[in-house]
Amino acid sequence: MTIEELWKSVLGEIELHISRPNFLTWLKQSHLMQKDDKNGVVLVGLPNNFAKEWVQGRYHKLILGSLRSLDGSIKSVDYVVTSSDTAPLPVAAASRVRAEAPVQSQEPLLEMAVDPKTGLSPRYTLDSFIVGSSNELAHAAVQAIVADVGTKYNPLFVYGGVGLGKTHLIQAAGNAIQEAYHAKVRVLYVTSERFINDVVGALRNKRMEDVKRKYRDIDVLIVDDIQFIGGKAATEQEFFYTFNTLYEHNKQIIISSDRPPSAIPTLEERLRSRFEGGMIVDVSYPDYEVRLAILKTKIQLQGVSVDEKILSLIAEKVQKNIRELEGVLNKVLFYQQYRGERVTERKLETIISEVAHVASRNITAADIMKTVSEFYDVLPDELTNRSRKKEIVLPRQVCMYLMRELISLSYPHIGELLGKRDHTTAIHAYEKILKALHSDAALNQKVVRITEKLQNG
Ligand code: ADP
Ligand code: MG
């Protein structure tokens, strides 16, 4: 079977499992770009990032299952964006490029293997964390903690802007602790969203004991993006109790946030002072040397090479966000590896502006409210008032869904924006719409149209 035929069979099977509009919207333009027989990885190309995330998030299991049932040698699936301005490679060309392409990247494979017990991804290690003046204090604090869990800097509070390595560092802390102490020390990494969801779910199902067990029966608790936890009494209280219980038993707590505790206005005073009683460190913008070192480590890890001049140009030009730095590098690698193109300085300029453009075309909550209210022909005020009329409730829920889906706002924040509602309302709306998208073709098409409007500005 050629990979083209293989993919056709997979799509045929998936079509039976998901709604027609979903299929047409998300999978019709997909391709199987390559299959690496050596390590059993197949690469699926999707037309844009949105489709990539969607498919990866919702249909991955289905796709992998179907692929495996057809070809037992397949172990995992990777997803890439084949940019819309360039037609996807015909399958024959793809396999030709593959023959010349350097070794398949190992990294995406690792990335998928988040340990469900600890929440840790092996991708983030201290070894792959480049240290420079922008993060050396934070890094040193983590090292001290690994050497001496629970007694030194407790809690450790790491803060800094988007894409500066907070998640990487605190995940790496968890991995290093696991490695040093094995099963003797139980580590749990969660985002604050996850914590909120657990508490909300437990309150709803009256299973608070489960949450208590999950969060108090551990030695190291790592909470990412704590800024979202503030402002909701029940979760904040549960977090406070969890915190105290762990703290009193000399358990290690590591927290990240996009700003220092003093600048999280919704945070309860008693939690703030707890945080301030530990060690507070920041990560800031990396300098040129660090940026270049990050790029070099990354290509080394992937076993690929990129022209020195191009690497230094990327490091020189992308300054404010390491995720963006990696985004540009990935795009360069994509052109090199899968399209067999040498990236010139001119081409690099375009790539950088494309990546920056996507990052800067930030859809805001206000954009979503405006677009949804126009689409459904309701007044923006109606989305935020107390009305429970059916004509208003649905657009409001769609609004909540999109705020979560497109711009990852926290549930408390979404509730707040749409008429100071409780975050449980936002969670309910998100889940309801998500489910409905699979069964209600008309709604699905509407949501797709609204999304397109938002993405096209
Ligand atoms: P944040 O959580 O602060 O938004 P992340 O930890 O997600 O940022 O970092 C964004 C990306 O940059 C990740 O892929 C991460 O691995 C990488 N990164 C950040 N800082 C470093 C560093 N010092 N060394 C190597 N990679 C880094
Ligand atoms: Mg993060």
Side-chain angles (χ1 to χ4, degrees), residues 325-354:
L325 191 74
E326 293 182 339
V328 171
L329 178 65
N330 285 338
K331 216 152 177 187
V332 168
L333 289 174
F334 173 78
Y335 280 104
Q336 267 190 203
Q337 287 180 269
Y338 301 118
R339 305 268 300 278
E341 273 178 40
R342 212 181 75 82
V343 173
T344 59
E345 283 181 38
R346 274 255 315 274
K347 180 80 193 169
L348 181 66
E349 289 289 339
T350 326
I351 292 176
I352 289 176
S353 67
E354 275 168 12

PDB file of all heavy atoms in Angstrom, residues 325-354:
ATOM      1  N   LEU A 325      11.462  32.289  18.695  1.00  0.00           N
ATOM      2  CA  LEU A 325      12.793  31.922  18.189  1.00  0.00           C
ATOM      3  C   LEU A 325      12.745  30.494  17.637  1.00  0.00           C
ATOM      4  O   LEU A 325      13.207  30.196  16.544  1.00  0.00           O
ATOM      5  CB  LEU A 325      13.789  32.015  19.348  1.00  0.00           C
ATOM      6  CG  LEU A 325      15.271  31.934  19.058  1.00  0.00           C
ATOM      7  CD1 LEU A 325      15.742  33.246  18.424  1.00  0.00           C
ATOM      8  CD2 LEU A 325      16.057  31.694  20.348  1.00  0.00           C
ATOM      9  N   GLU A 326      12.144  29.616  18.411  1.00  0.00           N
ATOM     10  CA  GLU A 326      12.028  28.221  17.982  1.00  0.00           C
ATOM     11  C   GLU A 326      11.096  28.092  16.785  1.00  0.00           C
ATOM     12  O   GLU A 326      11.311  27.255  15.906  1.00  0.00           O
ATOM     13  CB  GLU A 326      11.492  27.357  19.126  1.00  0.00           C
ATOM     14  CG  GLU A 326      12.455  27.246  20.279  1.00  0.00           C
ATOM     15  CD  GLU A 326      11.938  26.343  21.397  1.00  0.00           C
ATOM     16  OE1 GLU A 326      10.706  26.120  21.474  1.00  0.00           O
ATOM     17  OE2 GLU A 326      12.753  25.878  22.189  1.00  0.00           O
ATOM     18  N   GLY A 327      10.068  28.919  16.766  1.00  0.00           N
ATOM     19  CA  GLY A 327       9.113  28.889  15.658  1.00  0.00           C
ATOM     20  C   GLY A 327       9.815  29.187  14.341  1.00  0.00           C
ATOM     21  O   GLY A 327       9.593  28.508  13.326  1.00  0.00           O
ATOM     22  N   VAL A 328      10.664  30.201  14.365  1.00  0.00           N
ATOM     23  CA  VAL A 328      11.395  30.566  13.151  1.00  0.00           C
ATOM     24  C   VAL A 328      12.333  29.424  12.747  1.00  0.00           C
ATOM     25  O   VAL A 328      12.377  29.023  11.585  1.00  0.00           O
ATOM     26  CB  VAL A 328      12.185  31.888  13.359  1.00  0.00           C
ATOM     27  CG1 VAL A 328      13.116  32.141  12.188  1.00  0.00           C
ATOM     28  CG2 VAL A 328      11.229  33.052  13.545  1.00  0.00           C
ATOM     29  N   LEU A 329      13.053  28.882  13.721  1.00  0.00           N
ATOM     30  CA  LEU A 329      13.966  27.780  13.419  1.00  0.00           C
ATOM     31  C   LEU A 329      13.206  26.586  12.822  1.00  0.00           C
ATOM     32  O   LEU A 329      13.633  25.992  11.831  1.00  0.00           O
ATOM     33  CB  LEU A 329      14.726  27.343  14.678  1.00  0.00           C
ATOM     34  CG  LEU A 329      15.668  26.158  14.473  1.00  0.00           C
ATOM     35  CD1 LEU A 329      16.811  26.517  13.528  1.00  0.00           C
ATOM     36  CD2 LEU A 329      16.227  25.662  15.803  1.00  0.00           C
ATOM     37  N   ASN A 330      12.066  26.260  13.424  1.00  0.00           N
ATOM     38  CA  ASN A 330      11.289  25.136  12.909  1.00  0.00           C
ATOM     39  C   ASN A 330      10.868  25.347  11.470  1.00  0.00           C
ATOM     40  O   ASN A 330      10.860  24.427  10.664  1.00  0.00           O
ATOM     41  CB  ASN A 330      10.038  24.904  13.763  1.00  0.00           C
ATOM     42  CG  ASN A 330      10.403  24.243  15.074  1.00  0.00           C
ATOM     43  OD1 ASN A 330      11.454  23.617  15.183  1.00  0.00           O
ATOM     44  ND2 ASN A 330       9.552  24.398  16.076  1.00  0.00           N
ATOM     45  N   LYS A 331      10.508  26.582  11.149  1.00  0.00           N
ATOM     46  CA  LYS A 331      10.073  26.869   9.799  1.00  0.00           C
ATOM     47  C   LYS A 331      11.252  26.734   8.830  1.00  0.00           C
ATOM     48  O   LYS A 331      11.110  26.203   7.732  1.00  0.00           O
ATOM     49  CB  LYS A 331       9.451  28.258   9.734  1.00  0.00           C
ATOM     50  CG  LYS A 331       8.311  28.313   8.777  1.00  0.00           C
ATOM     51  CD  LYS A 331       7.261  29.329   9.078  1.00  0.00           C
ATOM     52  CE  LYS A 331       6.237  29.261   7.950  1.00  0.00           C
ATOM     53  NZ  LYS A 331       5.247  30.303   8.015  1.00  0.00           N
ATOM     54  N   VAL A 332      12.395  27.222   9.266  1.00  0.00           N
ATOM     55  CA  VAL A 332      13.599  27.079   8.437  1.00  0.00           C
ATOM     56  C   VAL A 332      13.888  25.593   8.202  1.00  0.00           C
ATOM     57  O   VAL A 332      14.144  25.164   7.072  1.00  0.00           O
ATOM     58  CB  VAL A 332      14.811  27.773   9.116  1.00  0.00           C
ATOM     59  CG1 VAL A 332      16.118  27.375   8.428  1.00  0.00           C
ATOM     60  CG2 VAL A 332      14.639  29.288   9.102  1.00  0.00           C
ATOM     61  N   LEU A 333      13.796  24.827   9.270  1.00  0.00           N
ATOM     62  CA  LEU A 333      14.046  23.384   9.140  1.00  0.00           C
ATOM     63  C   LEU A 333      13.033  22.727   8.225  1.00  0.00           C
ATOM     64  O   LEU A 333      13.351  21.831   7.449  1.00  0.00           O
ATOM     65  CB  LEU A 333      13.999  22.710  10.514  1.00  0.00           C
ATOM     66  CG  LEU A 333      15.173  23.026  11.443  1.00  0.00           C
ATOM     67  CD1 LEU A 333      14.940  22.421  12.810  1.00  0.00           C
ATOM     68  CD2 LEU A 333      16.480  22.504  10.851  1.00  0.00           C
ATOM     69  N   PHE A 334      11.809  23.195   8.331  1.00  0.00           N
ATOM     70  CA  PHE A 334      10.764  22.635   7.477  1.00  0.00           C
ATOM     71  C   PHE A 334      11.124  22.829   6.006  1.00  0.00           C
ATOM     72  O   PHE A 334      11.057  21.895   5.211  1.00  0.00           O
ATOM     73  CB  PHE A 334       9.416  23.290   7.801  1.00  0.00           C
ATOM     74  CG  PHE A 334       8.331  22.894   6.845  1.00  0.00           C
ATOM     75  CD1 PHE A 334       7.713  21.664   6.974  1.00  0.00           C
ATOM     76  CD2 PHE A 334       7.964  23.733   5.811  1.00  0.00           C
ATOM     77  CE1 PHE A 334       6.725  21.272   6.083  1.00  0.00           C
ATOM     78  CE2 PHE A 334       6.979  23.353   4.917  1.00  0.00           C
ATOM     79  CZ  PHE A 334       6.359  22.127   5.057  1.00  0.00           C
ATOM     80  N   TYR A 335      11.526  24.050   5.660  1.00  0.00           N
ATOM     81  CA  TYR A 335      11.889  24.312   4.272  1.00  0.00           C
ATOM     82  C   TYR A 335      13.057  23.433   3.851  1.00  0.00           C
ATOM     83  O   TYR A 335      13.075  22.861   2.775  1.00  0.00           O
ATOM     84  CB  TYR A 335      12.227  25.790   4.060  1.00  0.00           C
ATOM     85  CG  TYR A 335      10.986  26.622   3.917  1.00  0.00           C
ATOM     86  CD1 TYR A 335      10.526  27.418   4.952  1.00  0.00           C
ATOM     87  CD2 TYR A 335      10.241  26.584   2.733  1.00  0.00           C
ATOM     88  CE1 TYR A 335       9.367  28.160   4.831  1.00  0.00           C
ATOM     89  CE2 TYR A 335       9.073  27.324   2.605  1.00  0.00           C
ATOM     90  CZ  TYR A 335       8.647  28.110   3.657  1.00  0.00           C
ATOM     91  OH  TYR A 335       7.495  28.822   3.533  1.00  0.00           O
ATOM     92  N   GLN A 336      14.025  23.335   4.735  1.00  0.00           N
ATOM     93  CA  GLN A 336      15.213  22.538   4.416  1.00  0.00           C
ATOM     94  C   GLN A 336      14.898  21.067   4.266  1.00  0.00           C
ATOM     95  O   GLN A 336      15.265  20.430   3.296  1.00  0.00           O
ATOM     96  CB  GLN A 336      16.222  22.664   5.546  1.00  0.00           C
ATOM     97  CG  GLN A 336      17.222  23.744   5.343  1.00  0.00           C
ATOM     98  CD  GLN A 336      18.340  23.667   6.385  1.00  0.00           C
ATOM     99  OE1 GLN A 336      18.973  24.651   6.633  1.00  0.00           O
ATOM    100  NE2 GLN A 336      18.600  22.508   6.977  1.00  0.00           N
ATOM    101  N   GLN A 337      14.201  20.527   5.296  1.00  0.00           N
ATOM    102  CA  GLN A 337      14.057  19.082   5.353  1.00  0.00           C
ATOM    103  C   GLN A 337      12.990  18.540   4.422  1.00  0.00           C
ATOM    104  O   GLN A 337      13.201  17.569   3.742  1.00  0.00           O
ATOM    105  CB  GLN A 337      13.694  18.650   6.773  1.00  0.00           C
ATOM    106  CG  GLN A 337      14.852  18.747   7.724  1.00  0.00           C
ATOM    107  CD  GLN A 337      14.424  18.295   9.101  1.00  0.00           C
ATOM    108  OE1 GLN A 337      13.986  19.094   9.909  1.00  0.00           O
ATOM    109  NE2 GLN A 337      14.532  17.009   9.371  1.00  0.00           N
ATOM    110  N   TYR A 338      11.839  19.187   4.460  1.00  0.00           N
ATOM    111  CA  TYR A 338      10.729  18.578   3.729  1.00  0.00           C
ATOM    112  C   TYR A 338      10.541  19.159   2.349  1.00  0.00           C
ATOM    113  O   TYR A 338       9.926  18.566   1.502  1.00  0.00           O
ATOM    114  CB  TYR A 338       9.450  18.687   4.555  1.00  0.00           C
ATOM    115  CG  TYR A 338       9.607  17.996   5.873  1.00  0.00           C
ATOM    116  CD1 TYR A 338       9.504  18.687   7.070  1.00  0.00           C
ATOM    117  CD2 TYR A 338       9.902  16.627   5.929  1.00  0.00           C
ATOM    118  CE1 TYR A 338       9.687  18.051   8.280  1.00  0.00           C
ATOM    119  CE2 TYR A 338      10.093  15.989   7.123  1.00  0.00           C
ATOM    120  CZ  TYR A 338       9.985  16.696   8.302  1.00  0.00           C
ATOM    121  OH  TYR A 338      10.179  16.064   9.487  1.00  0.00           O
ATOM    122  N   ARG A 339      11.069  20.368   2.143  1.00  0.00           N
ATOM    123  CA  ARG A 339      10.894  20.945   0.836  1.00  0.00           C
ATOM    124  C   ARG A 339      12.211  20.952   0.073  1.00  0.00           C
ATOM    125  O   ARG A 339      12.261  21.355  -1.075  1.00  0.00           O
ATOM    126  CB  ARG A 339      10.374  22.379   0.975  1.00  0.00           C
ATOM    127  CG  ARG A 339       9.092  22.481   1.820  1.00  0.00           C
ATOM    128  CD  ARG A 339       7.852  22.391   0.961  1.00  0.00           C
ATOM    129  NE  ARG A 339       7.820  23.449  -0.016  1.00  0.00           N
ATOM    130  CZ  ARG A 339       7.399  24.679   0.242  1.00  0.00           C
ATOM    131  NH1 ARG A 339       6.955  24.984   1.421  1.00  0.00           N
ATOM    132  NH2 ARG A 339       7.399  25.582  -0.696  1.00  0.00           N
ATOM    133  N   GLY A 340      13.284  20.563   0.747  1.00  0.00           N
ATOM    134  CA  GLY A 340      14.571  20.511   0.097  1.00  0.00           C
ATOM    135  C   GLY A 340      15.079  21.862  -0.386  1.00  0.00           C
ATOM    136  O   GLY A 340      15.855  21.949  -1.330  1.00  0.00           O
ATOM    137  N   GLU A 341      14.651  22.945   0.291  1.00  0.00           N
ATOM    138  CA  GLU A 341      15.070  24.288  -0.127  1.00  0.00           C
ATOM    139  C   GLU A 341      16.158  24.823   0.787  1.00  0.00           C
ATOM    140  O   GLU A 341      16.098  24.632   1.985  1.00  0.00           O
ATOM    141  CB  GLU A 341      13.884  25.259  -0.011  1.00  0.00           C
ATOM    142  CG  GLU A 341      13.006  25.315  -1.224  1.00  0.00           C
ATOM    143  CD  GLU A 341      11.843  26.270  -0.993  1.00  0.00           C
ATOM    144  OE1 GLU A 341      12.049  27.345  -0.394  1.00  0.00           O
ATOM    145  OE2 GLU A 341      10.724  25.921  -1.397  1.00  0.00           O
ATOM    146  N   ARG A 342      17.111  25.531   0.194  1.00  0.00           N
ATOM    147  CA  ARG A 342      18.088  26.206   1.032  1.00  0.00           C
ATOM    148  C   ARG A 342      17.496  27.558   1.414  1.00  0.00           C
ATOM    149  O   ARG A 342      16.980  28.291   0.568  1.00  0.00           O
ATOM    150  CB  ARG A 342      19.369  26.429   0.228  1.00  0.00           C
ATOM    151  CG  ARG A 342      20.635  26.397   1.077  1.00  0.00           C
ATOM    152  CD  ARG A 342      21.854  26.645   0.205  1.00  0.00           C
ATOM    153  NE  ARG A 342      21.931  28.068  -0.146  1.00  0.00           N
ATOM    154  CZ  ARG A 342      22.445  29.000   0.655  1.00  0.00           C
ATOM    155  NH1 ARG A 342      22.926  28.663   1.815  1.00  0.00           N
ATOM    156  NH2 ARG A 342      22.483  30.262   0.279  1.00  0.00           N
ATOM    157  N   VAL A 343      17.551  27.878   2.685  1.00  0.00           N
ATOM    158  CA  VAL A 343      16.951  29.137   3.115  1.00  0.00           C
ATOM    159  C   VAL A 343      17.966  30.266   2.983  1.00  0.00           C
ATOM    160  O   VAL A 343      19.038  30.235   3.567  1.00  0.00           O
ATOM    161  CB  VAL A 343      16.455  29.028   4.569  1.00  0.00           C
ATOM    162  CG1 VAL A 343      15.989  30.365   5.083  1.00  0.00           C
ATOM    163  CG2 VAL A 343      15.324  28.006   4.643  1.00  0.00           C
ATOM    164  N   THR A 344      17.627  31.225   2.158  1.00  0.00           N
ATOM    165  CA  THR A 344      18.516  32.372   1.963  1.00  0.00           C
ATOM    166  C   THR A 344      18.173  33.450   2.990  1.00  0.00           C
ATOM    167  O   THR A 344      17.173  33.350   3.693  1.00  0.00           O
ATOM    168  CB  THR A 344      18.287  32.980   0.573  1.00  0.00           C
ATOM    169  OG1 THR A 344      16.906  33.382   0.511  1.00  0.00           O
ATOM    170  CG2 THR A 344      18.576  31.971  -0.526  1.00  0.00           C
ATOM    171  N   GLU A 345      18.993  34.495   3.021  1.00  0.00           N
ATOM    172  CA  GLU A 345      18.701  35.592   3.946  1.00  0.00           C
ATOM    173  C   GLU A 345      17.359  36.254   3.638  1.00  0.00           C
ATOM    174  O   GLU A 345      16.621  36.634   4.547  1.00  0.00           O
ATOM    175  CB  GLU A 345      19.822  36.635   3.897  1.00  0.00           C
ATOM    176  CG  GLU A 345      21.050  36.177   4.656  1.00  0.00           C
ATOM    177  CD  GLU A 345      22.156  37.218   4.645  1.00  0.00           C
ATOM    178  OE1 GLU A 345      21.839  38.421   4.730  1.00  0.00           O
ATOM    179  OE2 GLU A 345      23.324  36.809   4.543  1.00  0.00           O
ATOM    180  N   ARG A 346      17.083  36.372   2.333  1.00  0.00           N
ATOM    181  CA  ARG A 346      15.798  36.974   1.939  1.00  0.00           C
ATOM    182  C   ARG A 346      14.628  36.151   2.455  1.00  0.00           C
ATOM    183  O   ARG A 346      13.682  36.656   3.042  1.00  0.00           O
ATOM    184  CB  ARG A 346      15.687  37.038   0.396  1.00  0.00           C
ATOM    185  CG  ARG A 346      16.292  38.226  -0.213  1.00  0.00           C
ATOM    186  CD  ARG A 346      15.374  39.337  -0.721  1.00  0.00           C
ATOM    187  NE  ARG A 346      14.196  39.079  -1.505  1.00  0.00           N
ATOM    188  CZ  ARG A 346      14.204  38.940  -2.827  1.00  0.00           C
ATOM    189  NH1 ARG A 346      15.333  38.919  -3.515  1.00  0.00           N
ATOM    190  NH2 ARG A 346      13.075  38.796  -3.463  1.00  0.00           N
ATOM    191  N   LYS A 347      14.757  34.840   2.217  1.00  0.00           N
ATOM    192  CA  LYS A 347      13.699  33.921   2.639  1.00  0.00           C
ATOM    193  C   LYS A 347      13.511  34.006   4.162  1.00  0.00           C
ATOM    194  O   LYS A 347      12.401  33.985   4.675  1.00  0.00           O
ATOM    195  CB  LYS A 347      14.099  32.499   2.225  1.00  0.00           C
ATOM    196  CG  LYS A 347      13.113  31.428   2.600  1.00  0.00           C
ATOM    197  CD  LYS A 347      11.961  31.383   1.619  1.00  0.00           C
ATOM    198  CE  LYS A 347      10.841  30.532   2.161  1.00  0.00           C
ATOM    199  NZ  LYS A 347       9.626  30.659   1.382  1.00  0.00           N
ATOM    200  N   LEU A 348      14.635  34.118   4.862  1.00  0.00           N
ATOM    201  CA  LEU A 348      14.570  34.183   6.315  1.00  0.00           C
ATOM    202  C   LEU A 348      13.774  35.398   6.785  1.00  0.00           C
ATOM    203  O   LEU A 348      12.971  35.311   7.707  1.00  0.00           O
ATOM    204  CB  LEU A 348      15.981  34.213   6.924  1.00  0.00           C
ATOM    205  CG  LEU A 348      16.020  34.265   8.447  1.00  0.00           C
ATOM    206  CD1 LEU A 348      15.457  32.988   9.051  1.00  0.00           C
ATOM    207  CD2 LEU A 348      17.439  34.496   8.954  1.00  0.00           C
ATOM    208  N   GLU A 349      14.003  36.526   6.094  1.00  0.00           N
ATOM    209  CA  GLU A 349      13.237  37.736   6.430  1.00  0.00           C
ATOM    210  C   GLU A 349      11.737  37.436   6.387  1.00  0.00           C
ATOM    211  O   GLU A 349      10.979  37.812   7.269  1.00  0.00           O
ATOM    212  CB  GLU A 349      13.534  38.858   5.407  1.00  0.00           C
ATOM    213  CG  GLU A 349      14.917  39.451   5.515  1.00  0.00           C
ATOM    214  CD  GLU A 349      15.090  40.295   6.768  1.00  0.00           C
ATOM    215  OE1 GLU A 349      14.073  40.741   7.323  1.00  0.00           O
ATOM    216  OE2 GLU A 349      16.251  40.483   7.200  1.00  0.00           O
ATOM    217  N   THR A 350      11.329  36.769   5.299  1.00  0.00           N
ATOM    218  CA  THR A 350       9.907  36.449   5.149  1.00  0.00           C
ATOM    219  C   THR A 350       9.441  35.538   6.270  1.00  0.00           C
ATOM    220  O   THR A 350       8.378  35.751   6.851  1.00  0.00           O
ATOM    221  CB  THR A 350       9.667  35.703   3.804  1.00  0.00           C
ATOM    222  OG1 THR A 350      10.566  36.214   2.845  1.00  0.00           O
ATOM    223  CG2 THR A 350       8.245  35.836   3.345  1.00  0.00           C
ATOM    224  N   ILE A 351      10.246  34.527   6.567  1.00  0.00           N
ATOM    225  CA  ILE A 351       9.856  33.586   7.618  1.00  0.00           C
ATOM    226  C   ILE A 351       9.678  34.322   8.947  1.00  0.00           C
ATOM    227  O   ILE A 351       8.680  34.152   9.642  1.00  0.00           O
ATOM    228  CB  ILE A 351      10.907  32.458   7.764  1.00  0.00           C
ATOM    229  CG1 ILE A 351      10.879  31.573   6.519  1.00  0.00           C
ATOM    230  CG2 ILE A 351      10.651  31.627   9.020  1.00  0.00           C
ATOM    231  CD1 ILE A 351      11.929  30.485   6.497  1.00  0.00           C
ATOM    232  N   ILE A 352      10.653  35.182   9.261  1.00  0.00           N
ATOM    233  CA  ILE A 352      10.577  35.906  10.531  1.00  0.00           C
ATOM    234  C   ILE A 352       9.320  36.771  10.583  1.00  0.00           C
ATOM    235  O   ILE A 352       8.607  36.788  11.573  1.00  0.00           O
ATOM    236  CB  ILE A 352      11.841  36.774  10.756  1.00  0.00           C
ATOM    237  CG1 ILE A 352      13.031  35.848  11.040  1.00  0.00           C
ATOM    238  CG2 ILE A 352      11.646  37.742  11.916  1.00  0.00           C
ATOM    239  CD1 ILE A 352      14.357  36.554  11.182  1.00  0.00           C
ATOM    240  N   SER A 353       9.039  37.452   9.469  1.00  0.00           N
ATOM    241  CA  SER A 353       7.866  38.314   9.540  1.00  0.00           C
ATOM    242  C   SER A 353       6.580  37.493   9.581  1.00  0.00           C
ATOM    243  O   SER A 353       5.615  37.886  10.232  1.00  0.00           O
ATOM    244  CB  SER A 353       7.858  39.352   8.417  1.00  0.00           C
ATOM    245  OG  SER A 353       7.697  38.703   7.195  1.00  0.00           O
ATOM    246  N   GLU A 354       6.593  36.331   8.946  1.00  0.00           N
ATOM    247  CA  GLU A 354       5.402  35.461   9.043  1.00  0.00           C
ATOM    248  C   GLU A 354       5.165  35.006  10.477  1.00  0.00           C
ATOM    249  O   GLU A 354       4.053  35.086  10.990  1.00  0.00           O
ATOM    250  CB  GLU A 354       5.571  34.215   8.173  1.00  0.00           C
ATOM    251  CG  GLU A 354       5.177  34.407   6.716  1.00  0.00           C
ATOM    252  CD  GLU A 354       5.637  33.229   5.854  1.00  0.00           C
ATOM    253  OE1 GLU A 354       6.053  32.188   6.422  1.00  0.00           O
ATOM    254  OE2 GLU A 354       5.586  33.374   4.635  1.00  0.00           O
TER     255      GLU A 354
END
